[in-house]
C-alpha cells in the first residue's frame, strides 16, 4: 500500500493538488480487527481519506465486508473537510444543512461498521448544532487542542495525590459543565 500511496501523491501533485503526506505507513496504524482505528496525525488523516476515496475504495473496496458503509463513511468525512475548507469565512444555510447531514451519516456509518465513538464525534455533533449561531467551524474549532487531553491525563496520572495541581484538576472535573468556564 505504501507504493500505491506514494504513486497517488505524485499523481495528485501533477494534477495540482498538494496533500500532507503520511510519513511512515505501518499496519499498526490501522489498529486491530477487534478495534480498528486510524492512527495518523490530523492533516495526514485528511490526505489519507482522500486517498481512500479516490483510489483505495474504487480499486479494492469491493473486497471489504460492508463496503457500502465504508464508502459512505469515507465520503461523509471528505464532504465535511470540503465544506470546512470551501466555506472558511461564511457558511450558507444550505451548506450548514449539508454539514449536519454528513455528520449524522458519519456517525451512523460508524455504528454500522462497529467503530467506537470518540470525543471528536461528540465535538462534531456540537459543532453541527452551533454553526448557525457561531459561524463556520474554522472560527472556533479546536481539533488540535483535543490532543492535549491525553497529555493532561498522563501528567495527572503520574502526579502524587497530595499535589495542588492534581487536587485542582480533580475539583474541576467534579464541577458541573456549566461552572467550568
Amino acid at each position: 500500500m505504501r507504493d500505491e500511496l506514494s504513486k497517488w501523491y505524485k499523481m495528485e501533485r501533477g494534477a495540482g493538488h498538494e496533500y500532507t503526506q503520511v510519513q511512515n505507513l505501518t499496519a499498526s496504524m490501522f489498529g486491530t480487527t477487534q478495534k480498528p482505528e486510524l492512527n495518523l496525525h490530523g492533516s495526514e488523516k485528511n490526505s489519507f481519506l482522500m486517498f481512500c476515496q479516490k483510489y483505495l475504495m474504487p480499486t479494492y473496496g469491493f473486497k471489504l465486508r460492508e463496503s457500502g458503509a465504508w464508502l459512505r463513511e469515507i465520503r461523509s468525512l471528505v464532504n465535511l473537510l470540503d465544506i470546512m475548507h470551501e466555506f472558511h469565512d461564511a457558511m450558507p444555510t444550505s451548506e450548514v444543512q449539508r454539514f449536519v447531514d454528513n455528520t449524522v451519516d458519519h456517525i451512523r456509518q460508524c455504528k454500522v461498521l462497529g467503530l467506537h465513538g470518540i470525543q471528536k464525534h461528540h465535538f462534531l455533533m456540537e459543532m453541527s448544532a452551533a454553526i448557525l449561531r457561531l459561524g463556520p467551524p474554522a472560527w472556533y474549532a479546536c481539533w488540535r487542542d483535543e490532543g492535549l487531553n491525553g497529555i493532561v491525563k498522563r501528567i495527572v496520572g503520574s502526579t502524587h495525590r497530595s499535589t495542588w495541581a492534581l487536587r485542582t484538576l480533580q475539583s474541576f472535573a467534579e464541577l458541573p459543565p456549566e461552572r467550568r468556564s
Side-chain angles (χ1 to χ4, degrees):
M1 187 185 320
R2 275 189 217 118
D3 291 339
E4 291 171 310
L5 181 59
S6 180
K7 288 176 189 173
W8 180 80
Y9 281 132
K10 187 181 281 188
M11 183 181 69
E12 288 293 309
R13 264 194 311 278
H17 303 122
E18 196 63 42
Y19 296 109
T20 301
Q21 294 188 20
V22 175
Q23 296 303 309
N24 186 22
L25 188 64
T26 63
S28 64
M29 291 177 163
F30 299 100
T32 64
T33 306
Q34 294 78 24
K35 189 179 178 198
E37 52 191 6
L38 186 56
N39 291 317
L40 297 171
H41 298 289
S43 57
E44 287 180 343
K45 199 173 286 184
N46 297 349
S47 70
F48 194 77
L49 282 171
M50 298 302 291
F51 172 66
C52 288
Q53 183 181 31
K54 291 182 175 185
Y55 181 79
L56 280 185
M57 288 305 292
T59 307
Y60 301 109
F62 68 92
K63 294 182 178 186
L64 289 172
R65 193 171 43 88
E66 303 283 358
S67 64
W70 279 109
L71 185 59
R72 285 186 69 171
E73 170 68 3
I74 293 165
R75 190 176 300 137
S76 65
L77 289 171
V78 170
N79 287 343
L80 288 169
L81 287 172
D82 289 346
I83 293 166
M84 286 190 280
H85 288 135
E86 186 175 346
F87 300 99
H88 190 269
D89 296 322
M91 192 177 288
T93 306
S94 61
E95 294 304 317
V96 173
Q97 185 61 54
R98 233 179 100 221
F99 189 93
V100 171
D101 291 345
N102 280 285
T103 297
V104 169
D105 197 37
H106 164 63
I107 292 168
R108 281 185 182 147
Q109 297 316 309
C110 282
K111 288 182 180 179
V112 167
L113 295 166
L115 303 174
H116 301 288
I118 58 173
Q119 295 89 345
K120 289 182 182 178
H121 291 144
H122 175 76
F123 186 67
L124 197 57
M125 290 187 305
E126 294 292 335
M127 186 185 295
S128 295
I131 293 174
L132 288 175
R133 190 170 33 91
L134 299 175
W139 292 1
Y140 55 88
C142 61
W143 300 106
R144 284 179 248 157
D145 297 344
E146 286 190 357
L148 295 174
N149 293 340
I151 295 168
V152 171
K153 183 178 178 181
R154 283 193 301 274
I155 292 169
V156 171
S158 63
T159 306
H160 191 273
R161 69 177 177 272
S162 66
T163 63
W164 177 83
L166 178 61
R167 289 193 314 262
T168 301
L169 287 170
Q170 286 173 334
S171 298
F172 180 77
E174 291 168 4
L175 289 175
E178 63 273 5
R179 294 203 48 222
R180 291 183 188 172
S181 50

